[in-house]
PDB file of all heavy atoms in Angstrom:
ATOM      1  N   ALA A  63      30.298 -17.911  11.879  1.00 92.00           N
ATOM      2  CA  ALA A  63      29.417 -17.078  12.706  1.00 92.00           C
ATOM      3  C   ALA A  63      29.087 -17.793  14.010  1.00 92.00           C
ATOM      4  O   ALA A  63      29.062 -17.169  15.081  1.00 92.00           O
ATOM      5  CB  ALA A  63      28.142 -16.743  11.933  1.00 92.00           C
ATOM      6  N   LEU A  64      28.859 -19.093  13.933  1.00 92.00           N
ATOM      7  CA  LEU A  64      28.558 -19.862  15.136  1.00 92.00           C
ATOM      8  C   LEU A  64      29.722 -19.798  16.126  1.00 92.00           C
ATOM      9  O   LEU A  64      29.515 -19.652  17.328  1.00 92.00           O
ATOM     10  CB  LEU A  64      28.232 -21.309  14.780  1.00 92.00           C
ATOM     11  CG  LEU A  64      27.809 -22.204  15.936  1.00 92.00           C
ATOM     12  CD1 LEU A  64      26.515 -21.695  16.581  1.00 92.00           C
ATOM     13  CD2 LEU A  64      27.636 -23.632  15.463  1.00 92.00           C
ATOM     14  N   SER A  65      30.933 -19.861  15.611  1.00 92.00           N
ATOM     15  CA  SER A  65      32.117 -19.758  16.482  1.00 92.00           C
ATOM     16  C   SER A  65      32.132 -18.423  17.227  1.00 92.00           C
ATOM     17  O   SER A  65      32.462 -18.372  18.417  1.00 92.00           O
ATOM     18  CB  SER A  65      33.402 -19.895  15.666  1.00 92.00           C
ATOM     19  OG  SER A  65      33.519 -21.195  15.162  1.00 92.00           O
ATOM     20  N   LEU A  66      31.781 -17.353  16.535  1.00 93.00           N
ATOM     21  CA  LEU A  66      31.716 -16.041  17.190  1.00 93.00           C
ATOM     22  C   LEU A  66      30.601 -15.992  18.236  1.00 93.00           C
ATOM     23  O   LEU A  66      30.785 -15.438  19.322  1.00 93.00           O
ATOM     24  CB  LEU A  66      31.499 -14.934  16.167  1.00 93.00           C
ATOM     25  CG  LEU A  66      32.732 -14.505  15.386  1.00 93.00           C
ATOM     26  CD1 LEU A  66      32.342 -13.556  14.263  1.00 93.00           C
ATOM     27  CD2 LEU A  66      33.738 -13.845  16.315  1.00 93.00           C
ATOM     28  N   LEU A  67      29.456 -16.573  17.917  1.00 94.00           N
ATOM     29  CA  LEU A  67      28.359 -16.604  18.882  1.00 94.00           C
ATOM     30  C   LEU A  67      28.759 -17.380  20.133  1.00 94.00           C
ATOM     31  O   LEU A  67      28.442 -16.976  21.248  1.00 94.00           O
ATOM     32  CB  LEU A  67      27.109 -17.221  18.249  1.00 94.00           C
ATOM     33  CG  LEU A  67      26.444 -16.421  17.134  1.00 94.00           C
ATOM     34  CD1 LEU A  67      25.335 -17.225  16.478  1.00 94.00           C
ATOM     35  CD2 LEU A  67      25.926 -15.095  17.653  1.00 94.00           C
ATOM     36  N   VAL A  68      29.480 -18.495  19.948  1.00 94.00           N
ATOM     37  CA  VAL A  68      29.956 -19.279  21.091  1.00 94.00           C
ATOM     38  C   VAL A  68      30.943 -18.449  21.914  1.00 94.00           C
ATOM     39  O   VAL A  68      30.866 -18.409  23.150  1.00 94.00           O
ATOM     40  CB  VAL A  68      30.602 -20.611  20.627  1.00 94.00           C
ATOM     41  CG1 VAL A  68      31.352 -21.285  21.772  1.00 94.00           C
ATOM     42  CG2 VAL A  68      29.552 -21.542  20.052  1.00 94.00           C
ATOM     43  N   PHE A  69      31.854 -17.768  21.238  1.00 94.00           N
ATOM     44  CA  PHE A  69      32.842 -16.929  21.921  1.00 94.00           C
ATOM     45  C   PHE A  69      32.156 -15.892  22.813  1.00 94.00           C
ATOM     46  O   PHE A  69      32.479 -15.741  23.987  1.00 94.00           O
ATOM     47  CB  PHE A  69      33.752 -16.243  20.894  1.00 94.00           C
ATOM     48  CG  PHE A  69      34.655 -15.203  21.493  1.00 94.00           C
ATOM     49  CD1 PHE A  69      35.839 -15.569  22.124  1.00 94.00           C
ATOM     50  CD2 PHE A  69      34.318 -13.854  21.442  1.00 94.00           C
ATOM     51  CE1 PHE A  69      36.672 -14.602  22.690  1.00 94.00           C
ATOM     52  CE2 PHE A  69      35.140 -12.888  22.003  1.00 94.00           C
ATOM     53  CZ  PHE A  69      36.325 -13.260  22.626  1.00 94.00           C
ATOM     54  N   TYR A  70      31.182 -15.187  22.253  1.00 94.00           N
ATOM     55  CA  TYR A  70      30.510 -14.139  23.022  1.00 94.00           C
ATOM     56  C   TYR A  70      29.607 -14.713  24.115  1.00 94.00           C
ATOM     57  O   TYR A  70      29.497 -14.132  25.194  1.00 94.00           O
ATOM     58  CB  TYR A  70      29.741 -13.186  22.105  1.00 94.00           C
ATOM     59  CG  TYR A  70      30.675 -12.251  21.391  1.00 94.00           C
ATOM     60  CD1 TYR A  70      30.913 -12.376  20.030  1.00 94.00           C
ATOM     61  CD2 TYR A  70      31.367 -11.266  22.089  1.00 94.00           C
ATOM     62  CE1 TYR A  70      31.801 -11.524  19.374  1.00 94.00           C
ATOM     63  CE2 TYR A  70      32.255 -10.422  21.447  1.00 94.00           C
ATOM     64  CZ  TYR A  70      32.465 -10.558  20.097  1.00 94.00           C
ATOM     65  OH  TYR A  70      33.353  -9.723  19.459  1.00 94.00           O
ATOM     66  N   ALA A  71      28.971 -15.844  23.860  1.00 94.00           N
ATOM     67  CA  ALA A  71      28.155 -16.475  24.902  1.00 94.00           C
ATOM     68  C   ALA A  71      29.035 -16.856  26.087  1.00 94.00           C
ATOM     69  O   ALA A  71      28.668 -16.629  27.253  1.00 94.00           O
ATOM     70  CB  ALA A  71      27.435 -17.702  24.349  1.00 94.00           C
ATOM     71  N   LYS A  72      30.212 -17.426  25.789  1.00 94.00           N
ATOM     72  CA  LYS A  72      31.162 -17.796  26.852  1.00 94.00           C
ATOM     73  C   LYS A  72      31.591 -16.558  27.626  1.00 94.00           C
ATOM     74  O   LYS A  72      31.597 -16.542  28.859  1.00 94.00           O
ATOM     75  CB  LYS A  72      32.400 -18.433  26.211  1.00 94.00           C
ATOM     76  CG  LYS A  72      32.724 -19.801  26.688  1.00 94.00           C
ATOM     77  CD  LYS A  72      33.949 -20.329  25.997  1.00 94.00           C
ATOM     78  CE  LYS A  72      33.554 -21.604  25.303  1.00 94.00           C
ATOM     79  NZ  LYS A  72      34.636 -22.296  24.673  1.00 94.00           N
ATOM     80  N   ARG A  73      31.958 -15.530  26.904  1.00 95.00           N
ATOM     81  CA  ARG A  73      32.439 -14.288  27.515  1.00 95.00           C
ATOM     82  C   ARG A  73      31.393 -13.641  28.404  1.00 95.00           C
ATOM     83  O   ARG A  73      31.707 -13.048  29.435  1.00 95.00           O
ATOM     84  CB  ARG A  73      32.869 -13.339  26.396  1.00 95.00           C
ATOM     85  CG  ARG A  73      33.543 -12.092  26.874  1.00 95.00           C
ATOM     86  CD  ARG A  73      34.106 -11.364  25.697  1.00 95.00           C
ATOM     87  NE  ARG A  73      33.686  -9.984  25.775  1.00 95.00           N
ATOM     88  CZ  ARG A  73      33.924  -9.085  24.860  1.00 95.00           C
ATOM     89  NH1 ARG A  73      34.553  -9.407  23.763  1.00 95.00           N
ATOM     90  NH2 ARG A  73      33.528  -7.859  25.006  1.00 95.00           N
ATOM     91  N   GLU A  74      30.125 -13.783  28.012  1.00 95.00           N
ATOM     92  CA  GLU A  74      29.023 -13.176  28.769  1.00 95.00           C
ATOM     93  C   GLU A  74      28.434 -14.112  29.818  1.00 95.00           C
ATOM     94  O   GLU A  74      27.461 -13.773  30.474  1.00 95.00           O
ATOM     95  CB  GLU A  74      27.944 -12.702  27.792  1.00 95.00           C
ATOM     96  CG  GLU A  74      28.443 -11.591  26.889  1.00 95.00           C
ATOM     97  CD  GLU A  74      27.530 -11.321  25.702  1.00 95.00           C
ATOM     98  OE1 GLU A  74      26.412 -11.888  25.644  1.00 95.00           O
ATOM     99  OE2 GLU A  74      27.947 -10.551  24.823  1.00 95.00           O
ATOM    100  N   GLY A  75      29.010 -15.308  29.959  1.00 94.00           N
ATOM    101  CA  GLY A  75      28.550 -16.239  30.982  1.00 94.00           C
ATOM    102  C   GLY A  75      27.262 -16.960  30.657  1.00 94.00           C
ATOM    103  O   GLY A  75      26.592 -17.471  31.542  1.00 94.00           O
ATOM    104  N   ARG A  76      26.895 -16.990  29.373  1.00 93.00           N
ATOM    105  CA  ARG A  76      25.689 -17.714  28.961  1.00 93.00           C
ATOM    106  C   ARG A  76      26.063 -19.133  28.547  1.00 93.00           C
ATOM    107  O   ARG A  76      27.233 -19.458  28.388  1.00 93.00           O
ATOM    108  CB  ARG A  76      24.999 -16.997  27.789  1.00 93.00           C
ATOM    109  CG  ARG A  76      24.397 -15.666  28.186  1.00 93.00           C
ATOM    110  CD  ARG A  76      23.664 -14.988  27.048  1.00 93.00           C
ATOM    111  NE  ARG A  76      24.617 -14.293  26.180  1.00 93.00           N
ATOM    112  CZ  ARG A  76      24.768 -14.548  24.886  1.00 93.00           C
ATOM    113  NH1 ARG A  76      24.055 -15.455  24.284  1.00 93.00           N
ATOM    114  NH2 ARG A  76      25.653 -13.880  24.180  1.00 93.00           N
ATOM    115  N   TYR A  77      25.067 -19.979  28.328  1.00 93.00           N
ATOM    116  CA  TYR A  77      25.300 -21.345  27.861  1.00 93.00           C
ATOM    117  C   TYR A  77      26.128 -21.285  26.578  1.00 93.00           C
ATOM    118  O   TYR A  77      25.795 -20.539  25.654  1.00 93.00           O
ATOM    119  CB  TYR A  77      23.958 -22.048  27.604  1.00 93.00           C
ATOM    120  CG  TYR A  77      24.114 -23.459  27.114  1.00 93.00           C
ATOM    121  CD1 TYR A  77      24.272 -24.497  28.021  1.00 93.00           C
ATOM    122  CD2 TYR A  77      24.126 -23.752  25.761  1.00 93.00           C
ATOM    123  CE1 TYR A  77      24.426 -25.802  27.590  1.00 93.00           C
ATOM    124  CE2 TYR A  77      24.285 -25.056  25.324  1.00 93.00           C
ATOM    125  CZ  TYR A  77      24.436 -26.073  26.242  1.00 93.00           C
ATOM    126  OH  TYR A  77      24.597 -27.358  25.798  1.00 93.00           O
ATOM    127  N   SER A  78      27.207 -22.075  26.516  1.00 91.00           N
ATOM    128  CA  SER A  78      28.081 -22.007  25.335  1.00 91.00           C
ATOM    129  C   SER A  78      28.626 -23.365  24.915  1.00 91.00           C
ATOM    130  O   SER A  78      29.605 -23.438  24.189  1.00 91.00           O
ATOM    131  CB  SER A  78      29.249 -21.049  25.612  1.00 91.00           C
ATOM    132  OG  SER A  78      29.999 -21.510  26.726  1.00 91.00           O
ATOM    133  N   ASP A  79      28.002 -24.449  25.353  1.00 93.00           N
ATOM    134  CA  ASP A  79      28.484 -25.790  24.999  1.00 93.00           C
ATOM    135  C   ASP A  79      27.957 -26.210  23.618  1.00 93.00           C
ATOM    136  O   ASP A  79      27.269 -27.207  23.468  1.00 93.00           O
ATOM    137  CB  ASP A  79      28.083 -26.813  26.067  1.00 93.00           C
ATOM    138  CG  ASP A  79      28.652 -28.197  25.781  1.00 93.00           C
ATOM    139  OD1 ASP A  79      29.666 -28.289  25.074  1.00 93.00           O
ATOM    140  OD2 ASP A  79      28.075 -29.186  26.265  1.00 93.00           O
ATOM    141  N   ILE A  80      28.277 -25.418  22.617  1.00 91.00           N
ATOM    142  CA  ILE A  80      27.962 -25.743  21.229  1.00 91.00           C
ATOM    143  C   ILE A  80      29.311 -25.956  20.550  1.00 91.00           C
ATOM    144  O   ILE A  80      30.136 -25.048  20.504  1.00 91.00           O
ATOM    145  CB  ILE A  80      27.215 -24.603  20.503  1.00 91.00           C
ATOM    146  CG1 ILE A  80      25.971 -24.169  21.282  1.00 91.00           C
ATOM    147  CG2 ILE A  80      26.895 -24.981  19.068  1.00 91.00           C
ATOM    148  CD1 ILE A  80      24.804 -25.095  21.233  1.00 91.00           C
ATOM    149  N   VAL A  81      29.546 -27.163  20.052  1.00 89.00           N
ATOM    150  CA  VAL A  81      30.871 -27.451  19.517  1.00 89.00           C
ATOM    151  C   VAL A  81      30.895 -27.685  18.014  1.00 89.00           C
ATOM    152  O   VAL A  81      31.960 -27.606  17.404  1.00 89.00           O
ATOM    153  CB  VAL A  81      31.531 -28.651  20.241  1.00 89.00           C
ATOM    154  CG1 VAL A  81      31.782 -28.314  21.710  1.00 89.00           C
ATOM    155  CG2 VAL A  81      30.697 -29.911  20.124  1.00 89.00           C
TER     156      VAL A  81
END
Side-chain angles (χ1 to χ4, degrees):
L64 184 62
S65 292
L66 282 171
L67 293 173
V68 168
F69 171 81
Y70 285 109
K72 237 180 238 184
R73 187 171 130 185
E74 295 166 8
R76 291 183 279 121
Y77 180 85
S78 60
D79 184 24
I80 307 286
V81 296

